[in-house]
Coordinates of all heavy atoms in Angstrom, one line a residue:
Y564 N 0.9 -1.3 -0.1 CA 0.0 0.0 0.0 C 0.9 1.2 0.0 O 2.0 1.2 0.4 CB -1.0 -0.1 1.2 CG -2.1 -1.0 1.1 CD1 -1.9 -2.4 1.5 CD2 -3.3 -0.6 0.4 CE1 -2.9 -3.2 1.3 CE2 -4.3 -1.6 0.3 CZ -4.2 -2.9 0.7 OH -5.2 -3.7 0.6
P565 N 0.4 2.5 -0.4 CA 1.1 3.6 -0.5 C 1.8 4.0 0.8 O 2.7 4.7 0.8 CB 0.1 4.7 -1.0 CG -0.9 3.9 -1.8 CD -1.1 2.6 -1.1
D566 N 1.2 3.6 1.9 CA 1.6 4.0 3.3 C 2.8 3.0 3.7 O 3.1 3.0 4.9 CB 0.5 4.1 4.3 CG 0.0 2.8 4.5 OD1 0.1 1.8 3.9 OD2 -1.0 2.7 5.4
L567 N 3.2 2.2 2.7 CA 4.2 1.1 3.0 C 3.9 0.1 3.9 O 4.8 -0.6 4.6 CB 5.6 1.8 3.5 CG 6.2 3.0 2.6 CD1 7.5 3.5 3.2 CD2 6.3 2.5 1.2
T568 N 2.5 -0.2 4.0 CA 2.1 -1.4 4.7 C 1.9 -2.4 3.7 O 1.5 -2.3 2.6 CB 0.8 -1.0 5.5 OG1 -0.1 -0.7 4.7 CG2 1.2 0.0 6.5
F569 N 1.7 -3.7 4.3 CA 1.3 -4.9 3.5 C -0.1 -5.3 3.7 O -0.8 -5.8 2.9 CB 2.3 -6.1 3.7 CG 2.0 -7.2 2.9 CD1 2.3 -7.1 1.5 CD2 1.4 -8.4 3.4 CE1 1.9 -8.4 0.6 CE2 1.2 -9.4 2.5 CZ 1.4 -9.5 1.2
R570 N -0.6 -5.2 5.2 CA -1.8 -5.6 5.5 C -2.1 -7.2 5.2 O -3.1 -7.5 4.6 CB -2.9 -4.7 4.9 CG -2.6 -3.2 5.2 CD -3.6 -2.4 4.6 NE -3.1 -1.0 4.4 CZ -3.8 0.1 4.0 NH1 -5.1 -0.2 3.5 NH2 -3.3 1.3 3.9
G571 N -1.3 -7.9 5.8 CA -1.4 -9.4 5.5 C -2.5 -10.0 6.0 O -2.9 -11.0 5.4
D572 N -3.3 -9.5 6.9 CA -4.5 -10.1 7.6 C -5.6 -9.8 6.6 O -6.7 -10.4 6.9 CB -4.7 -9.7 8.9 CG -3.7 -10.1 9.9 OD1 -3.1 -11.2 9.6 OD2 -3.5 -9.4 10.9
E573 N -5.6 -9.0 5.7 CA -6.8 -8.6 4.6 C -6.9 -9.8 3.8 O -6.0 -10.4 3.3 CB -6.5 -7.4 3.8 CG -6.5 -6.2 4.6 CD -6.4 -5.0 3.7 OE1 -6.2 -5.2 2.5 OE2 -6.5 -3.7 4.1
N574 N -8.3 -10.3 3.8 CA -8.6 -11.2 2.9 C -8.6 -10.9 1.4 O -8.9 -9.7 1.1 CB -10.0 -11.9 3.2 CG -10.0 -12.6 4.6 OD1 -9.1 -13.2 5.0 ND2 -11.1 -12.4 5.4
I575 N -8.4 -11.7 0.6 CA -8.3 -11.4 -0.9 C -9.6 -12.2 -1.6 O -10.2 -13.0 -1.1 CB -7.2 -12.1 -1.6 CG1 -7.0 -13.6 -1.5 CG2 -5.7 -11.5 -1.1 CD1 -6.0 -14.3 -2.3
T576 N -10.1 -11.5 -2.7 CA -11.2 -11.8 -3.4 C -10.7 -12.8 -4.5 O -9.5 -12.9 -4.8 CB -11.9 -10.6 -4.1 OG1 -10.9 -10.0 -5.0 CG2 -12.3 -9.6 -3.0
R577 N -11.7 -13.3 -5.2 CA -11.4 -14.2 -6.3 C -10.6 -13.5 -7.5 O -9.7 -14.0 -8.0 CB -12.7 -14.9 -6.9 CG -13.2 -16.1 -6.1 CD -14.6 -16.4 -6.4 NE -14.8 -16.8 -7.7 CZ -14.6 -18.1 -8.1 NH1 -14.2 -19.0 -7.2 NH2 -14.8 -18.4 -9.3
E578 N -11.0 -12.2 -7.8 CA -10.4 -11.6 -8.8 C -8.9 -11.1 -8.4 O -8.1 -11.1 -9.2 CB -11.2 -10.3 -9.2 CG -11.3 -9.2 -8.2 CD -12.1 -8.0 -8.8 OE1 -12.7 -8.1 -9.9 OE2 -12.1 -6.9 -8.3
Q579 N -8.7 -10.8 -7.2 CA -7.5 -10.5 -6.7 C -6.6 -11.7 -6.7 O -5.3 -11.6 -7.1 CB -7.5 -9.8 -5.2 CG -8.0 -8.6 -5.0 CD -8.4 -8.2 -3.7 OE1 -8.4 -9.0 -2.7 NE2 -8.7 -6.9 -3.4
L580 N -7.1 -12.7 -6.3 CA -6.2 -14.1 -6.5 C -5.9 -14.4 -7.9 O -4.7 -14.7 -8.3 CB -7.1 -15.3 -6.1 CG -6.5 -16.7 -6.2 CD1 -5.2 -16.8 -5.4 CD2 -7.5 -17.8 -5.8
A581 N -6.9 -14.1 -8.8 CA -6.5 -14.3 -10.3 C -5.4 -13.5 -10.7 O -4.5 -13.8 -11.4 CB -7.8 -13.9 -11.2
V582 N -5.5 -12.2 -10.4 CA -4.3 -11.1 -10.6 C -3.1 -11.6 -10.1 O -2.0 -11.5 -10.9 CB -4.8 -9.7 -10.3 CG1 -3.6 -8.7 -10.3 CG2 -6.0 -9.3 -10.9
I583 N -3.0 -12.1 -8.9 CA -1.7 -12.5 -8.3 C -1.2 -13.6 -9.0 O 0.0 -13.6 -9.4 CB -1.9 -12.8 -6.8 CG1 -2.3 -11.6 -6.0 CG2 -0.7 -13.5 -6.2 CD1 -2.8 -11.8 -4.6
L584 N -2.0 -14.7 -9.4 CA -1.6 -15.9 -10.0 C -1.2 -15.6 -11.5 O -0.2 -16.1 -12.0 CB -2.6 -16.9 -10.1 CG -3.0 -17.5 -8.6 CD1 -4.0 -18.5 -8.7 CD2 -1.7 -18.0 -7.9
Y585 N -1.9 -14.6 -12.1 CA -1.5 -14.2 -13.5 C -0.2 -13.5 -13.5 O 0.7 -13.7 -14.5 CB -2.7 -13.3 -14.0 CG -2.5 -12.7 -15.3 CD1 -2.5 -13.6 -16.4 CD2 -2.5 -11.4 -15.6 CE1 -2.4 -13.2 -17.8 CE2 -2.5 -11.0 -17.1 CZ -2.4 -11.9 -18.1 OH -2.3 -11.6 -19.3
R586 N 0.1 -12.6 -12.6 CA 1.4 -12.0 -12.5 C 2.5 -13.1 -12.2 O 3.6 -12.9 -12.8 CB 1.4 -10.9 -11.4 CG 0.6 -9.8 -11.8 CD 0.5 -8.8 -10.5 NE -0.3 -7.8 -10.8 CZ -0.8 -6.8 -9.9 NH1 -0.3 -7.0 -8.6 NH2 -1.4 -5.7 -10.2
Y587 N 2.2 -14.0 -11.3 CA 3.2 -15.0 -10.8 C 3.5 -15.9 -12.2 O 4.8 -16.3 -12.3 CB 2.7 -15.9 -9.8 CG 3.6 -17.0 -9.4 CD1 4.8 -16.8 -8.7 CD2 3.1 -18.2 -9.7 CE1 5.6 -17.8 -8.4 CE2 4.2 -19.4 -9.4 CZ 5.3 -19.1 -8.7 OH 6.0 -20.1 -8.3
A588 N 2.4 -16.1 -12.9 CA 2.7 -17.0 -14.1 C 3.4 -16.4 -15.3 O 3.6 -16.9 -16.3 CB 1.4 -17.5 -14.6
G589 N 3.7 -15.1 -15.1 CA 4.4 -14.3 -16.1 C 3.6 -13.6 -17.2 O 4.0 -13.5 -18.2
Y590 N 2.2 -13.3 -16.8 CA 1.3 -12.7 -17.7 C 1.1 -13.5 -19.0 O 1.4 -13.1 -20.1 CB 1.9 -11.2 -18.0 CG 1.9 -10.4 -17.0 CD1 3.0 -10.2 -16.1 CD2 0.8 -9.5 -16.6 CE1 3.2 -9.3 -15.1 CE2 0.9 -8.6 -15.5 CZ 2.0 -8.6 -14.8 OH 2.1 -7.6 -13.7
P591 N 0.7 -14.7 -19.0 CA 0.5 -15.6 -20.1 C -0.6 -15.0 -21.0 O -1.4 -14.3 -20.6 CB 0.2 -17.0 -19.4 CG -0.3 -16.7 -18.2 CD 0.4 -15.4 -17.6
D592 N -0.7 -15.6 -22.2 CA -1.7 -15.3 -23.1 C -3.0 -15.5 -22.4 O -3.3 -16.5 -21.8 CB -1.5 -16.2 -24.2 CG -2.5 -15.9 -25.4 OD1 -3.2 -14.9 -25.3 OD2 -2.5 -16.5 -26.5
A593 N -3.8 -14.4 -22.6 CA -5.2 -14.5 -22.0 C -6.2 -15.1 -22.8 O -7.4 -15.0 -22.5 CB -5.6 -13.0 -21.5
Y594 N -5.8 -15.7 -23.9 CA -6.7 -16.3 -24.9 C -7.7 -15.3 -25.5 O -7.5 -14.1 -25.4 CB -7.5 -17.4 -24.1 CG -6.7 -18.4 -23.4 CD1 -6.3 -18.2 -22.1 CD2 -6.2 -19.5 -24.1 CE1 -5.5 -19.1 -21.5 CE2 -5.4 -20.5 -23.5 CZ -5.0 -20.4 -22.2 OH -4.3 -21.3 -21.7
D595 N -8.6 -15.8 -26.3 CA -9.5 -15.1 -27.0 C -10.6 -14.4 -26.2 O -11.4 -15.1 -25.4 CB -10.3 -16.1 -28.1 CG -11.2 -15.3 -29.0 OD1 -11.6 -14.2 -28.8 OD2 -11.6 -15.9 -30.1
F596 N -10.6 -13.1 -26.0 CA -11.4 -12.4 -25.2 C -12.9 -12.6 -25.5 O -13.8 -12.3 -24.7 CB -11.1 -11.0 -25.1 CG -9.8 -10.6 -24.3 CD1 -9.0 -11.6 -23.7 CD2 -9.5 -9.4 -24.2 CE1 -7.9 -11.2 -23.0 CE2 -8.4 -9.0 -23.6 CZ -7.6 -10.0 -23.0
V597 N -13.3 -12.8 -26.6 CA -14.6 -12.9 -27.2 C -15.2 -14.2 -26.8 O -16.3 -14.4 -26.3 CB -14.7 -12.7 -28.8 CG1 -16.1 -12.9 -29.2 CG2 -14.2 -11.4 -29.1
N598 N -14.5 -15.3 -27.2 CA -15.0 -16.7 -26.9 C -14.6 -17.3 -25.6 O -13.9 -18.3 -25.4 CB -14.6 -17.7 -28.0 CG -15.1 -17.2 -29.3 OD1 -16.3 -16.9 -29.5 ND2 -14.3 -17.1 -30.4

């Protein structure tokens, strides 16, 4: 966070989990956005 905290006790949402894993995986191809 901007105040230099991590706030480890905060729970994450499903979309936050997806973002973390996506970054960890190296931003792989996100596939066809339409289908």
